[in-house]
Amino acid sequence: MPRRPMHVTGAAEAPLRAALRELRTRLEVPADFPPDVLAEAAEAVKSPDLSGHRDATDLPFFTIDPPTSKDLDQAMFLERREGGGFRVRYAIADVAAWVKPGGALDREAHARVTTLYFPDERTPLHPPVLSEGAASLLPGQDCPALLWTIDLDAEGRSVATDVQRALVRSRAKLDYEGVQQAIDAGTAEEPLALLKEIGLLRDAQEIARGGISLNVPEQEIVERPDGYHLAYRAPLPADGWNAHISLLTGAAAADLMLGYGTGILRTLPSAPQGAVGRLRRSAKALGIDWPHHVPYADVVRGLDPRKEKHAAFLQECTTLLRGAGYTVFTGGELPDPRIHAAVADEYTHCTAPLRRLVDRYAGEICLAAAAGRGTPEWVLTALDALPQEMADGTRRANSIERECVDIVEAALLRDRVGEMFDAVVVDVKEQQPTVGTVHLEEPAVVARIEGGGSRLPLGERLRVRLTQADPGRAKVQFAPA
């Protein structure tokens, strides 16, 4: 998923929607799948590889996703263990049951790498006949899955992990608001009610080890007669509880692979001081109190994403995720470092194979590790190239995200060229001290500033004038007033 989720409403011919279409054309984003890929997907639907899948259709799984989502990677069933603690059963779509190694579907997935998200639509990793149909954990259909069973103690610590291939059937497609309402009202049945109990325990475990989850709100851009307006959809507590089940599984998968001696981890170094300093200046621009003795994680946990300025700061916090990558290891030679700084633990991506290439491979390694057998040759053959493939795909996705942010901000400000704004200078180019970046106090926009004969005052407030803003043609830019 994108670090900065955005959603656009409005007519297809509106300037913002037109600019997004032009962006896809300019970046050569594939609009359709090649005929051989579609043909192979259609054939795969008729005869998936169900060898080795045990029957787990008796377990009443449910999914939690946005109401309009159809590409459902995960389903869960939660229960208490005899003697205390919990059992998490987490079913992940088994993409390998549909995708033949070296086939047209596989080659196309390696070319696309990830699902690409735009504010008005998305470009999927796999053809919709699979990703939104046969391979998706939609309610009422039997689906091949990687079934994780993770036992937790009474304090939410993982004590045992297993993963096997299984045939599963989801009973219900739930959404976050409905889940939150049922849990708050006390009407949720125990498998759903346990989501809160386990989620809170996992949150406490995260705090204890020094990890941090960013509850980044969704930005909705609405077209009205008087122009475009920005609103934030704050994530509900249920969003975070659900995310903790995925994080738990990613950490369990990393432990399995490290014990096995072969795998691929998601790693993130600690943020450099320069990035933290820039974030402090953004906090100042938004009027968010961040005393020097208070750690970043404590500041983030104290934010309320329902407040617009807090929501904007959470968006800026995603800049500290830059530098994340994938680390392959084989033959028992464990990587160092191997920690994901935000998770504060070993971690891997394995829970979204319908939307991310690497998850299919991580899942296969975990299956081999749990069964005590060798890794499939097709996985080992592809493993060394995966970090670079994922880096290229992630770079493309990040570039699209940045371009979309530029287009959206230009749409928001297109009718305000020439106006004055209060801002804080959050960055200054070392070789060009009259060029840098400002963070507006209102609206919460981050943009380039250039011009004027004096060095920009880094970290200080500055009155600025909007000089350009035209979605799809001219990025937002300011000059000193």
Side-chain angles (χ1 to χ4, degrees):
M1 291 293 288
R3 293 194 297 258
R4 185 185 292 251
M6 293 183 291
H7 178 64
V8 167
T9 61
E13 67 275 8
L16 177 52
R17 299 286 290 272
L20 291 169
R21 285 197 302 273
E22 291 172 9
L23 174 64
R24 285 188 284 272
T25 300
R26 175 163 56 84
L27 297 180
E28 298 181 339
V29 174
D32 300 303
F33 286 88
D36 61 334
V37 174
L38 294 175
E40 187 174 302
E43 189 62 31
V45 169
K46 299 176 185 176
S47 55
D49 181 4
L50 300 181
S51 59
H53 289 75
R54 71 179 182 86
D55 189 348
T57 55
D58 60 315
L59 294 172
F61 286 98
F62 56 88
T63 61
I64 306 175
D65 289 277
T68 58
S69 293
K70 296 180 181 178
D71 53 341
L72 311 184
D73 290 283
Q74 313 114 6
M76 72 179 74
F77 175 64
L78 311 174
E79 57 187 333
R80 297 188 187 276
R81 295 167 58 210
E82 288 187 19
F86 310 89
R87 175 159 290 168
V88 175
R89 298 188 194 266
Y90 205 40
I92 307 300
D94 186 2
V95 174
W98 310 92
V99 177
K100 179 182 177 182
L105 275 169
D106 188 33
R107 291 193 300 272
E108 185 69 12
H110 277 267
R112 294 188 177 220
V113 181
T114 67
T115 292
L116 298 175
Y117 294 89
F118 294 83
D120 58 337
E121 63 178 58
R122 60 189 182 80
T123 301
L125 175 62
H126 302 101
V129 68
L130 289 177
S131 61
E132 298 181 5
S136 177
L137 303 183
L138 296 164
Q141 69 177 17
D142 293 351
C143 296
L146 275 58
L147 177 53
W148 289 83
T149 302
I150 305 174
D151 287 346
L152 307 177
D153 66 16
E155 295 183 346
R157 289 184 292 259
S158 177
V159 294
T161 300
D162 184 45
V163 58
Q164 301 177 19
R165 280 199 153 90
L167 202 63
V168 303
R169 183 188 305 142
S170 172
R171 300 297 196 274
K173 180 179 183 294
L174 308 179
D175 62 73
Y176 294 105
E177 289 190 9
V179 166
Q180 191 69 56
Q181 290 170 4
I183 291 176
D184 289 347
T187 58
E189 295 182 4
E190 183 171 81
L192 179 58
L194 285 176
L195 180 67
K196 177 180 180 179
E197 191 169 343
I198 294 171
L200 292 175
L201 289 171
R202 292 302 301 174
D203 196 50
Q205 293 291 328
E206 180 179 76
I207 292 171
R209 67 176 184 267
I212 182 67
S213 294
L214 290 177
N215 295 318
V216 181
E218 180 181 358
Q219 292 177 295
E220 183 173 22
I221 302 91
V222 182
E223 185 191 15
R224 297 175 183 164
D226 60 339
Y228 288 100
H229 296 262
L230 176 63
Y232 290 98
R233 175 200 170 270
L236 298 167
D239 292 60
W241 304 331
N242 185 56
H244 272 304
I245 302 298
S246 180
L247 287 167
L248 166 68
T249 308
D255 285 344
L256 266 182
M257 291 191 289
L258 288 165
Y260 182 58
T262 295
I264 181 165
L265 300 179
R266 181 65 165 164
T267 53
L268 176 68
S270 298
Q273 284 302 311
V276 176
R278 184 186 188 282
L279 199 59
R280 281 188 175 276
R281 293 189 285 273
S282 289
K284 180 179 180 180
L286 293 165
I288 292 171
D289 186 34
W290 186 352
H292 280 282
H293 66 280
V294 175
Y296 159 74
D298 290 351
V299 173
V300 171
R301 291 192 189 97
L303 298 176
D304 183 351
R306 293 170 297 180
K307 297 180 179 179
E308 186 170 323
K309 291 192 175 183
H310 288 200
F313 184 66
L314 282 166
Q315 301 279 5
E316 289 306 302
C317 287
T318 63
T319 59
L320 295 192
L321 299 177
R322 293 172 184 166
Y326 294 89
T327 302
V328 165
F329 59 99
T330 57
E333 296 185 10
L334 303 186
D336 184 27
R338 54 179 180 263
I339 296 292
H340 189 291
V343 179
D345 201 356
E346 289 101 356
Y347 172 70
T348 195
H349 280 156
C350 66
T351 63
L354 291 175
R355 293 170 282 172
R356 195 167 46 210
L357 175 66
V358 70
D359 297 49
R360 172 160 48 111
Y361 289 87
E364 292 300 315
I365 297 171
C366 289
L367 286 168
R373 54 175 169 78
T375 307
E377 189 60 34
W378 64 268
V379 174
L380 291 175
T381 299
L383 201 56
D384 285 343
L386 270 177
Q388 188 59 54
E389 288 180 285
M390 292 305 302
D392 292 342
T394 301
R395 192 177 302 111
R396 185 186 197 189
N398 290 344
S399 175
I400 286 171
E401 185 174 285
R402 286 193 299 272
E403 294 270 4
C404 287
V405 170
D406 288 341
I407 288 171
V408 166
E409 291 183 340
L412 289 171
L413 294 170
R414 63 176 301 182
D415 298 323
R416 302 181 68 177
V417 173
E419 288 189 28
M420 304 295 183
F421 299 84
D422 290 318
V424 168
V425 181
V426 295
D427 260 339
V428 175
K429 286 196 172 186
E430 188 174 345
Q431 303 301 323
Q432 295 176 276
T434 62
V435 177
T437 305
V438 289
H439 198 312
L440 269 61
E441 294 182 6
E442 182 66 34
V445 166
V446 179
R448 181 183 175 91
I449 181 171
E450 63 177 61
S454 303
R455 175 187 293 268
L456 291 170
L458 182 63
E460 300 300 321
R461 282 186 163 79
L462 185 69
R463 190 75 169 160
V464 298
R465 176 173 53 84
L466 179 61
T467 58
Q468 65 179 39
D470 190 357
R473 292 174 178 80
K475 295 180 181 180
V476 172
Q477 186 168 302
F478 291 88

